[in-house]
Amino acid sequence: MSMGKIFKFHDDLDTDQIIASQYLLLPNLEEMKVHTFESLDPEFPDKVKPGDYVVGGENFGCGSSREQAPGVLKALGVEAVIAKSFARIFYRNAINIGLPVIVCKELPDEVKTGDEMELSMTEGVARAGGKTYTCTKLPEYMQQILSQGGLIASLNREEA
């Protein structure tokens, strides 16, 4: 179980709201990450701490297929993104780079920014505000991919 603070966002949050297209010209994620959620919460990169959580509603990460969107969240130390549902390409990109993405249907409606949350990916539960929520329990192979830093890192290990 890991404890962190929640940063809550709305339904249909698109990748351009996570990292705007003009910042994709920057040379790396370290330089891009200071612009994460700039149009929604310009102080987000200063407020979020390693181990905190991003919570969203339906269709989180819709829009373009840019892998920098989950990349900047991971670069800021976000522990996981929890949402009611994810856009498929965001979900795959997140797994590929090693950012946990967890589907949890009830939690997003009942928490707010600043709440503390505990997440157990192995048990498939989140705890916040004195309640326990059932979330997607990631299969062991998926947890292994995430613990190795993502799909690419996992595949590189297998080849070595």
Side-chain angles (χ1 to χ4, degrees), residues 10-145:
H10 54 79
D11 288 349
D12 301 311
L13 185 123
D14 70 53
T15 53
D16 206 47
Q17 292 171 307
I18 299 170
I19 184 72
S21 59
Q22 69 260 32
Y23 300 120
L24 301 179
L25 300 173
L26 295 171
N28 56 48
L29 289 173
E30 282 302 303
E31 292 186 40
M32 286 180 213
K33 74 182 184 182
V34 298
H35 302 286
T36 304
F37 291 125
E38 191 170 83
S39 66
L40 301 174
D41 181 0
E43 279 96 47
F44 177 81
D46 297 324
K47 294 187 289 191
V48 71
K49 302 288 178 250
D52 286 344
Y53 298 97
V54 168
V55 172
E58 299 281 356
N59 201 25
F60 188 95
C62 59
S64 76
S65 60
R66 67 183 64 140
E67 66 184 28
Q68 293 92 339
V72 293
L73 296 175
K74 184 177 179 187
L76 286 167
V78 169
E79 183 73 19
V81 178
I82 296 92
K84 290 182 179 184
S85 67
F86 291 92
R88 268 188 307 196
I89 192 73
F90 181 90
Y91 187 88
R92 290 304 316 156
N93 283 337
I95 297 300
N96 287 348
I97 64 153
L99 176 68
V101 279
I102 309 293
V103 173
C104 199
K105 294 291 186 187
E106 287 104 34
L107 180 134
D109 288 335
E110 298 185 19
V111 298
K112 63 187 181 314
T113 294
D115 288 354
E116 293 283 323
M117 185 178 85
E118 248 183 330
L119 176 68
S120 172
M121 288 184 270
T122 55
E123 296 174 32
V125 296
R127 292 184 183 88
K131 286 185 75 174
T132 300
Y133 300 91
T134 302
C135 305
T136 302
K137 183 178 176 183
L138 296 178
E140 194 173 315
Y141 76 91
M142 187 83 82
Q143 291 179 44
Q144 188 173 354
I145 287 171

